[in-house]
């Protein structure tokens, strides 16, 4: 039937440096699919990952393998057959936990499959089944008794020595693997810290660029405030009756003073932001507060512009009233001139009557 996939996950794959046995070497440029496969014909479990046309991981799982979680998102296991250590970096802690649980289940299944295979082998070879209990005894035990005669004794002694030699090799490999486990764990932690440091540096750079942008905006708002203040002063100088707009001018002056005080506070906050670049969360919170205050400044500028427009309308209305008053005065003067002429004629007529 061939191999069937039983579990898959995406992770960044690493291998231990064969030269130093300390540093991690990335086996993939980005996250790849890592899958557990089961070969029913051979009762074998494998972990396989392919990057492009190349097999990044091809590890056969044995009962003596152990998957170790060295951080919240990183885990590793040693493959003595491939003479390497594989490391996997996951995007979430949940994915790492699921992979570790699947590794444990597959490891147990591999152990059961090996035991069943050994049972079938012993049933198929009764002579080995008879000699098997003697393998764990002392080397100086009496000669083995076999049902096949003395000619088979040397064969069982040779197999017993091979089994002991194989067990000794496995024990030495396990000791070497456990001896370098601490160094591998430290290397994984260093990798995690470097990744966190890179993210923190990127966040600080972004915060610095945002601070520069805020400074430019504040400078623009300062210029706009100065321009509005000049316009208010010009309108006050053009008004002919200062007492009539005294209240409005005082409100404008108070608003300008408050705006200038807020701008000074904002400059101080920017200076504090530049001196406190160690806490990204605090920078983000202060950035939000600064944006809120910038919106308040924009709203105040809008209110000032509305007040300036209202003052301009009041000035225009005053000028219109003044023009109308001048027209009325001219009309009255013309009427008075006519009346004076009539009175002069009447005086002359009366003088003539008196002379007669």
């Amino acid at each position: 039937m061939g191999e069937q996939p039983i579990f898959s996950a995406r992770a960044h794959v690493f291998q231990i440096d064969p030269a130093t046995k300390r540093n991690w070497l990335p086996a993939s440029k980005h996250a790849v699919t890592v899958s557990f496969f089961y070969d029913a014909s051979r009762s074998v479990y494998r972990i396989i990952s392919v990057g492009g046309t190349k097999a990044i991981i091809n590890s056969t799982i044995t009962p003596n393998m152990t998957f170790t979680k060295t951080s919240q998102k990183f885990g590793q296991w040693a493959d003595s057959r491939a003479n390497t250590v594989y490391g996997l970096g996951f995007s979430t802690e949940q994915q790492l936990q699921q992979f570790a649980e699947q590794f444990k289940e597959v490891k147990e299944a591999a152990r059961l499959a090996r035991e069943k295979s050994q049972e079938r082998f012993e049933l198929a070879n009764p002579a080995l089944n008879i000699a098997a209990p003697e393998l764990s005894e002392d080397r100086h035990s009496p000669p083995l008794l076999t049902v096949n005669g003395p000619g088979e004794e040397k064969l069982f002694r040779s197999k017993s020595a091979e089994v002991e030699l194989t067990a000794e090799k496995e024990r030495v490999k396990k000791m070497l693997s456990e001896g370098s486990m601490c160094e591998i764990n430290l290397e994984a932690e260093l990798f995690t810290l470097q990744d966190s440091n890179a993210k923190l540096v990127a966040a600080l750079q972004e915060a610095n660029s945002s601070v520069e942008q805020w400074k430019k905006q504040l400078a623009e708002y300062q210029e706009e405030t100065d321009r509005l203040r000049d316009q208010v002063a010009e309108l006050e100088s053009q008004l002919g009756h200062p007492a009539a707009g005294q209240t409005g001018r005082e409100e404008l002056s108070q608003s300008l003073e408050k705006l200038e005080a807020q701008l000074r506070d904002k400059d101080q906050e920017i200076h504090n932001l530049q001196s406190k670049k160690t806490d990204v969360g605090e920078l983000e919170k202060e950035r939000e507060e600064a944006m809120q205050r910038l919106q308040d400044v924009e709203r105040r500028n809008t209110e000032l512009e509305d007040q300036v427009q209202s003052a301009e309308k009041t000035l225009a209305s005053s000028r219109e009233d003044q023009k109308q008053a001048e027209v009325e005065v001219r009309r009255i003067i013309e009427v008075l001139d006519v009346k004076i002429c009539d009175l002069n004629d009447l005086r002359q007529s009366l003088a003539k009557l008196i002379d007669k």
Side-chain angles (χ1 to χ4, degrees), residues 184-321:
I184 294 173
N185 291 341
L186 291 175
E187 188 67 26
E189 291 294 334
L190 179 60
F191 168 78
T192 303
L193 290 175
Q194 288 176 348
D195 185 40
S196 301
N197 187 39
K199 292 180 181 179
L200 181 60
V201 170
L204 288 176
Q205 291 177 352
E206 183 180 358
N208 287 335
S209 61
S210 298
V211 168
E212 294 297 330
Q213 184 178 4
W214 299 337
K215 290 178 67 176
K216 291 180 181 179
Q217 291 180 356
L218 286 174
E220 294 176 358
Y221 292 146
Q222 182 68 44
E223 294 177 358
E224 183 69 16
T225 301
D226 294 339
R227 184 181 65 82
L228 291 174
R229 185 169 57 185
D230 294 340
Q231 289 182 359
V232 170
E234 183 180 357
L235 288 174
E236 289 178 353
S237 64
Q238 291 178 358
L239 288 173
H241 303 284
Q246 184 67 26
T247 303
R249 289 195 300 273
E250 290 178 356
E251 292 177 355
L252 288 175
S253 298
Q254 292 177 357
S255 299
L256 287 173
E257 289 175 358
K258 291 181 179 179
L259 184 59
E260 290 174 352
Q262 289 181 355
L263 290 175
R264 287 193 296 268
D265 294 339
K266 188 60 187 176
D267 290 335
Q268 183 63 32
E269 289 175 0
I270 291 175
H271 179 72
N272 294 336
L273 277 175
Q274 291 177 343
S275 61
K276 293 188 290 184
K277 295 181 180 178
T278 57
D279 191 351
V280 177
E282 185 177 356
L283 286 175
E284 182 65 20
K285 181 178 179 180
E286 292 180 358
R287 185 182 70 84
E288 292 176 357
E289 293 177 355
M291 291 299 296
Q292 182 64 34
R293 293 184 180 180
L294 286 175
Q295 292 177 358
D296 293 338
V297 171
E298 292 177 350
R299 181 174 57 80
R300 292 294 181 87
N301 282 338
T302 303
E303 292 176 358
L304 286 174
E305 289 178 351
D306 293 338
Q307 292 178 1
V308 169
Q309 291 177 358
S310 176
E312 289 177 349
K313 289 181 180 178
T314 302
L315 179 61
S317 177
S318 299
R319 289 180 177 176
E320 186 66 24
D321 293 339

Side-chain angles (χ1 to χ4, degrees), residues 35-237:
S35 303
F36 288 87
F37 282 86
Y38 174 62
D39 188 349
S41 62
R42 297 187 299 161
S43 298
V44 173
Y45 292 89
R46 292 198 301 167
I47 299 177
I48 297 177
S49 177
V50 179
T53 59
K54 180 182 178 182
I56 301 175
I57 300 177
N58 186 5
S59 178
T60 301
I61 300 177
T62 59
N64 59 349
M65 283 186 177
T66 302
F67 184 80
T68 305
K69 294 188 289 184
T70 57
S71 67
Q72 294 182 350
K73 300 180 182 180
F74 193 87
Q76 64 189 41
W77 78 96
D79 189 342
S80 59
R81 295 184 179 181
N83 193 23
T84 187
V85 178
Y86 294 104
L88 297 180
F90 296 89
S91 58
T92 63
E93 186 176 358
Q94 182 181 5
Q95 291 180 355
L96 173 60
Q97 182 64 27
Q98 291 176 352
F99 189 91
E101 292 175 355
Q102 188 65 37
F103 193 99
K104 184 177 180 180
E105 293 176 3
V106 170
K107 173 184 173 181
E108 181 65 19
R111 185 185 65 80
L112 295 175
R114 172 175 287 188
E115 291 179 355
K116 291 180 180 179
S117 177
Q118 289 178 353
E119 291 176 359
R120 289 196 299 268
F121 181 75
E122 290 174 357
L123 292 175
N125 298 271
L128 293 178
N129 190 25
I130 295 173
E134 302 294 333
L135 294 178
S136 59
E137 296 182 358
D138 191 8
R139 294 185 181 181
H140 300 287
S141 60
L144 295 174
L145 297 176
T146 65
V147 297
N148 295 328
E152 300 292 331
E153 182 177 351
K154 294 182 179 180
L155 175 61
F156 290 127
R157 289 293 186 183
S158 177
K159 289 182 178 293
S160 177
E162 290 179 359
V163 170
E164 292 179 357
L165 182 59
T166 302
E168 185 68 18
K169 287 183 178 179
E170 291 294 334
R171 188 175 65 83
V172 171
K173 288 181 179 180
K174 186 176 181 180
M175 290 176 61
L176 291 175
S177 176
E178 293 176 353
S180 60
M181 192 63 68
C182 293
E183 296 179 354
I184 294 173
N185 291 341
L186 291 175
E187 188 67 26
E189 291 294 334
L190 179 60
F191 168 78
T192 303
L193 290 175
Q194 288 176 348
D195 185 40
S196 301
N197 187 39
K199 292 180 181 179
L200 181 60
V201 170
L204 288 176
Q205 291 177 352
E206 183 180 358
N208 287 335
S209 61
S210 298
V211 168
E212 294 297 330
Q213 184 178 4
W214 299 337
K215 290 178 67 176
K216 291 180 181 179
Q217 291 180 356
L218 286 174
E220 294 176 358
Y221 292 146
Q222 182 68 44
E223 294 177 358
E224 183 69 16
T225 301
D226 294 339
R227 184 181 65 82
L228 291 174
R229 185 169 57 185
D230 294 340
Q231 289 182 359
V232 170
E234 183 180 357
L235 288 174
E236 289 178 353
S237 64

